[in-house]
Amino acid sequence: MVDVITIPATLRTDFGKGYARRVRANDQIPAVIYGHGAEPLHVILPGHEMMLASRNSNAVLEINVDGEGHLAMIKEVQRHAVRPEILHIDLLTVRRGERVEVEIPVHVEGEVAPTAIHNVEENVLVVEADALKVPEYLEVDIADLEAGEHVYAKDVTLPGNVTLVSDPELLVVNVSEPIEQDLGEEPETEDEETEGEQSEGESEESSEDSE
């Protein structure tokens, strides 16, 4: 399960592009917390901590503003088109016990039969889970599967608190026979052709000499 990450924050009192640039120049990130009908809360977050937290899109954050904690999940991250810089973050308020729809990465475990190969068709599945109990990934066991066998979304084992939202018939892993590539005969190289022409020329000269 993902951990709740505590992030210190300060209220944002000024607005405008110039102010936002100064905030980012100070290794901080402008953000807004909204949801559940509450007034949006504009805050400033520490850049390094949020850069790390944003690597897990399903992380639950406790944004601490003036001693008051606000549970939230990352809704959207706006990044600079060229530089590795976060411009703004939208955070969606969540409550303890609330269920949310999230995308969970699929991790394949094991090896298929020696005569087969596998291909992962879907890297994530959409599930519904308790906001504070979202699994980091879903494990798919492909050990000893034979060519022609498949793993569908409905076959993936889910934790007890998680329900599948994706189409149950969605193909997740396809197991098939290796495709043999017919490389054919190697084409004659230019050097080989030249050598062949030289050999023919030498044979003709030998014939003329013998005459």
Side-chain angles (χ1 to χ4, degrees), residues 109-131:
E109 298 290 339
E111 297 289 340
V112 295
T115 57
I117 59 173
H118 79 277
N119 186 54
V120 179
E121 304 290 342
E122 291 292 333
N123 293 308
V124 298
L125 289 177
V126 180
V127 301
E128 184 182 80
D130 186 313

Side-chain angles (χ1 to χ4, degrees), residues 129-165:
D130 186 313
L132 300 185
K133 298 179 182 178
V134 176
E136 292 186 41
Y137 59 87
L138 299 174
E139 185 176 304
V140 178
D141 186 7
I142 63 169
D144 300 323
L145 290 183
E146 302 281 350
E149 294 188 280
H150 311 287
V151 178
Y152 296 95
K154 63 184 179 182
D155 302 321
V156 179
T157 302
L158 303 177
N161 68 313
V162 177
T163 56
L164 182 67
V165 175

Side-chain angles (χ1 to χ4, degrees), residues 97-118:
E98 179 181 358
R99 295 182 67 80
V100 295
E101 284 190 11
V102 290
E103 290 186 342
I104 306 297
V106 170
H107 284 199
V108 172
E109 298 290 339
E111 297 289 340
V112 295
T115 57
I117 59 173
H118 79 277

Side-chain angles (χ1 to χ4, degrees), residues 17-48:
K17 293 183 178 180
Y19 178 74
R21 281 196 294 268
R22 291 194 297 272
V23 167
R24 290 191 286 269
N26 197 35
D27 192 28
Q28 295 175 310
I29 301 172
V32 60
I33 307 172
Y34 62 91
H36 290 294
E39 286 292 324
L41 186 64
H42 297 274
V43 295
I44 298 172
L45 306 174
H48 180 68

Side-chain angles (χ1 to χ4, degrees), residues 84-98:
E85 177 184 355
I86 295 178
L87 302 179
H88 190 275
I89 295 179
D90 288 2
L91 299 165
L92 184 63
T93 299
V94 295
R95 294 170 178 165
R96 296 185 184 276
E98 179 181 358

